Amino acid sequence: MFRILAATDFSEASQPVLDFAANVTRQCGGKMYLLHVVHHNMGDTGFGLTNGDMTGAFSGLEIDPDHPNRILEMADRRAKEVADTVREKWGIPIYAKAEEHEDIVRCVARFCERHNVDQVVIGNRHHSIFSTILLGSTAEKLVRGAKVPVTVVPCEPNMKK
């Protein structure tokens, strides 16, 4: 069975990633996985896979210092909600998970190994050259570090259809 992983930051701009992965999954008769990575040092800010706009993903969240895993739990719940929407829209089997890790590339690689993923689909936003030089591109790091094919889908918030 063909297995495809869609990495998401829950932003509206990442919808093309989900649609692309779901379409490939349906055409191949496989299974889709959805992953959101919460950076372990930034859990209280909702920092995710692509440093995307998290507006709406965790709106109204109150950070409770006595429950440090609350962000991860909420991210996991949000991943499952997104998966339910994808399942309903595309009629495919999908497994969703949020994981906490200090290295996004290693987290994705380990997830792929654990679940025998055949292909990864990620989004790429066009950041300024300054931010790319300073921070690097998560998409580029994933492409360079992957052991399976990686498809990079453009994810611009104002993309024309």
Side-chain angles (χ1 to χ4, degrees):
M1 174 190 303
F2 184 78
R3 295 179 172 128
I4 190 166
L5 169 64
T8 184
D9 65 358
F10 303 136
S11 70
E12 215 175 289
S14 67
Q15 188 62 45
V17 171
L18 301 176
D19 288 338
F20 182 90
N23 188 30
V24 171
T25 301
R26 186 169 62 185
Q27 288 179 12
C28 294
K31 181 175 184 179
M32 181 174 161
Y33 294 83
L34 185 144
L35 177 66
H36 175 77
V37 180
V38 177
H39 193 276
H40 83 289
N41 286 333
M42 303 295 272
D44 59 338
T45 63
F47 178 84
L49 182 75
T50 59
N51 268 343
D53 176 12
M54 293 301 294
T55 305
F58 301 107
S59 61
L61 175 66
E62 293 180 24
I63 305 305
D64 183 351
D66 296 327
H67 296 93
N69 292 328
R70 182 123 189 260
I71 292 292
L72 183 60
E73 291 169 8
M74 291 188 75
D76 197 58
R77 187 170 40 244
R78 179 71 179 124
K80 288 170 177 45
E81 290 169 0
V82 171
D84 287 343
T85 301
V86 171
R87 184 181 302 107
E88 288 175 23
K89 180 178 179 180
W90 292 92
I92 58 169
I94 183 169
Y95 169 80
K97 183 80 176 143
E99 294 187 1
E100 183 177 26
H101 206 280
E102 73 279 357
D103 185 320
I104 293 167
V105 175
R106 271 195 251 150
C107 185
V108 170
R110 288 180 183 162
F111 187 94
C112 289
E113 288 174 12
R114 281 195 320 269
H115 298 282
N116 297 313
V117 169
D118 299 297
Q119 180 181 1
V120 176
V121 179
I122 57 175
N124 184 34
R125 297 195 187 159
H126 301 287
H127 299 288
S128 71
I129 189 70
F130 182 71
S131 68
T132 301
I133 289 170
L134 281 179
L135 304 173
S137 164
T138 302
E140 180 183 352
K141 290 174 188 174
L142 285 167
V143 168
R144 289 181 184 267
K147 293 182 180 177
V148 298
V150 177
T151 301
V152 181
V153 177
C155 293
E156 288 298 316
N158 296 320
M159 286 179 58
K160 303 223 185 230
K161 294 187 180 191

